[in-house]
Amino acid sequence: MNLLSWFRRGADVCAAPTALLACLLLVAAPVARAGESDSDGKNPDGQSRTGKDSITVMVGAGYEHIPTWIGSRAYRYQAVPYVYVEWPDHFTLSTVDGLRVDLIRGEQWHGGPYANYIWGRNRSELSKRLQRVILPISPHVQAGGYVEYQATSHLSVGSTLSHDTKDSGAYFDVYADYELPAIGYLQHSFEWQWQAMNGQAMRRFFGLTAKQARRLRVKSWQPGTGSQQMSLEYDAFMPTSLHTGIVLGLNYSELLGAASESPIVRRYGSSHQFTTSLAFVYRF
């Protein structure tokens, strides 16, 4: 069985209701953990740890290579800011994973409000054929809550539940993050994520009314609540000096269920989605 077949089979398993009960214990903490220590009890820059009262702040800028819209086969480059602020047991703010405020502050359990900014799709990013038919989706903010369990010093598991602040879309994510052993100063991790959408969100991103379908000469598509995608991401941070470094993110996502079966995706896009990001950051 090849890797893609295994990935799809895993998606089907996690989409099953019984498997979701187990998946509810999966949550993650991504991207660069620049403030975390290596095996000798010091940070990669050689300074001693300051514990949970220390605040990690990294700012910078970079580029992303992303699909022009969710389900697209075309890609675009875009300049993006990079911000990562972490105050352990209080909050985390990231341009990659949004805002998490920890109200539980337990040794292993964490949870509280959650918010994130989601890219939409511009009409200019659609093909000439789709521009005349498919509606654009404005970038928007999702807000909700999260719960996280620190299973080991390297493994975090949990989930988020969020809702569009200006629409009726709702999203449920289950994810797990494993921090890999450091290689010299390189800090890196893997993140697995599964996402489901309610019917309103699925139809907004992947649906086709009868009128739209006739213009595209495909069948209409009105999906309901269900699995939307599964993804695997590799994140890394490499210091380049005492206060600077490079952040890398590699993500592969596979659209699932009604999202992958949408005529928009099957005829004009692809269920295989790749995202690459690279940023140069300054660490305070």
Side-chain angles (χ1 to χ4, degrees), residues 71 73 219 221 259-271:
R73 66 165 67 107
K219 64 179 180 179
W221 194 250
S260 65
E261 295 297 320
S262 168
I264 303 174
V265 175
R266 291 177 63 89
R267 185 164 179 177
Y268 299 98
S270 172
S271 61

Side-chain angles (χ1 to χ4, degrees), residues 52 86-91 102-107 109-110:
K52 290 188 175 181
E86 181 183 22
W87 185 6
D89 290 344
H90 290 80
F91 74 90
D102 187 4
L103 299 182
I104 297 177
R105 301 182 184 178
E107 287 296 321
W109 286 98
H110 305 274

Side-chain angles (χ1 to χ4, degrees), residues 4 27 30 34 42 66 74 82 99 110 126 128 140 156 165 175 178 200 214-217 225 258 279 284:
L4 184 57
V27 172
K42 296 182 179 180
I66 60 175
Y82 182 91
L99 173 67
H110 305 274
L126 298 169
K128 292 183 179 180
H140 55 280
S156 300
T165 55
Y175 53 103
Y178 184 75
Q200 290 89 335
R214 284 195 300 270
R215 295 182 65 182
L216 293 175
R217 297 181 181 179
T225 301
F284 295 88

